[in-house]
Amino acid sequence: MTTSPDSDHPLFDMDAPVSPTPVERLLALAGLYAQHNDRIDLWLHGRADLGPDAYAASARHLERATYGCITTVQKQRLPVTEPVASAVVRLKQIAHLTSGATRYLSTAQPVVPDADAKRGVPGPRRRLARCFQLARDLTALAAPAIIDSATCIAHRLPADAHSSSPATPGIDSARRDVLVEVARGHVTAFQTMQMAYVQATRVDSGTLRDLEAEHLVRREPDSAPSPYHGGAPYDRVRLTALGITALSTAIHRPTRIGPSAARPALAPAPTPARTRAHR
């Protein structure tokens, strides 16, 4: 049910439906961007040993994959409405920004000429880090933006264009919300799911363990940078192929993260004012 990694982007461990629908392709693409950004973050934290060429190849693959998703969406002949048009433009912007990231990573040079070193030019690590940081900034918001576009596009697609499998597990709203945040690249965990975070907000680890037991999500050990300076890497929680398929059937529903808001109490009916009797 999964695709095998391509040799031109060694950073990726892909897990996506073999014949994905447009929504599934977008969900898988968001996961790849989150993975790409994590690997760059680990490099910036001194916890990766691959050279710039590997990250440049990764960015080139993402750029091609984004344009491929755009073509797939356009072939659906969706209604020409402002939300759909904006979603497609958002995807094009992501592709253009990724192209810029590719250029930064492709021009990164790990060696500083002797003449530059004598003049006090920043060392190779600092120059590389600047290129990596600039490239990282350009793709920082890609995964959440792709999920926003996928949600908008899913509203206009027929049901059979959401999922490639008719037998997908049903998910309630709470679990669906967590899956969306996983797709956005926002969920990290440590201590075997004893504690998990959506960005800086703690989420129910029991829900994540249930999703993992159902093979809807998986943890990639030591794949995300620690939120604390100098801390050990966290485990990034990612969608599996089954999770992508399941979420693709429900992504168009409203998303809510966190505890349910308390319903406002009904105000008591106003008491009619008494009128004073005139003396």
Side-chain angles (χ1 to χ4, degrees):
M1 177 109 182
T2 60
T3 58
S4 59
D6 292 340
S7 59
D8 65 340
H9 53 94
L11 302 188
F12 296 148
D13 177 17
M14 298 178 65
D15 192 6
V18 172
S19 301
T21 63
V23 176
E24 288 171 332
R25 287 190 66 170
L26 289 170
L27 292 178
L29 179 66
L32 293 182
Y33 269 101
Q35 192 172 15
H36 171 84
N37 289 339
D38 278 342
R39 299 298 174 86
I40 290 184
D41 285 338
L42 289 175
W43 190 97
L44 289 169
H45 284 73
R47 294 184 176 273
D49 55 3
L50 291 175
D53 289 346
Y55 300 90
S58 169
R60 278 193 296 271
H61 171 78
L62 288 173
E63 180 185 353
R64 293 196 302 268
T66 305
Y67 281 121
C69 283
I70 293 169
T71 300
T72 300
V73 169
Q74 291 174 332
K75 287 181 178 178
Q76 298 298 312
R77 300 187 181 278
L78 296 172
V80 183
T81 63
E82 191 280 330
V84 171
S86 294
V88 173
V89 169
R90 190 180 300 120
L91 293 174
K92 290 180 179 179
Q93 289 173 336
I94 292 168
H96 299 333
L97 290 171
T98 307
S99 176
T102 301
R103 288 194 293 273
Y104 278 122
L105 294 169
S106 298
T107 57
Q109 298 295 327
V111 178
V112 177
D114 292 338
D116 288 346
K118 292 178 181 178
R119 293 200 308 269
V121 174
R125 177 71 188 185
R126 286 183 57 190
R127 296 181 65 183
L128 274 175
R130 176 170 172 76
C131 290
F132 270 66
Q133 187 61 62
L134 290 170
R136 176 66 173 83
D137 290 344
L138 290 177
T139 58
L141 303 178
I146 290 169
I147 297 303
D148 290 342
S149 292
T151 302
C152 176
I153 291 167
H155 275 286
R156 277 77 183 178
L157 286 172
D160 59 358
H162 287 192
S163 172
S164 59
S165 173
T168 55
I171 53 176
D172 58 27
S173 60
R175 298 198 305 165
R176 181 261 179 193
D177 292 346
V178 173
L179 288 176
V180 169
E181 292 306 303
V182 171
R184 292 178 185 273
H186 286 173
V187 182
T188 54
F190 62 99
Q191 296 178 353
T192 62
M193 293 286 198
Q194 292 303 310
M195 193 173 294
Y197 290 87
V198 174
Q199 298 293 63
T201 303
R202 187 170 177 176
V203 297
D204 180 29
S205 57
T207 300
L208 278 175
R209 285 195 296 269
D210 290 343
L211 293 172
E212 188 179 32
E214 296 171 14
H215 306 291
L216 298 180
V217 302
R218 63 182 176 87
R219 288 179 298 116
E220 187 176 340
D222 301 331
S223 62
S226 170
Y228 310 106
H229 180 71
Y234 278 25
D235 298 349
R236 178 68 68 192
V237 182
R238 306 192 190 282
L239 293 179
T240 63
L242 184 60
I244 289 173
T245 301
L247 181 56
S248 67
T249 64
I251 193 173
H252 59 284
R253 296 204 298 265
T255 306
R256 173 187 54 77
I257 289 292
S260 301
R263 299 182 67 178
L266 295 177
T271 303
R274 288 186 177 179
T275 56
R276 290 187 177 181
H278 294 283
R279 291 185 179 178

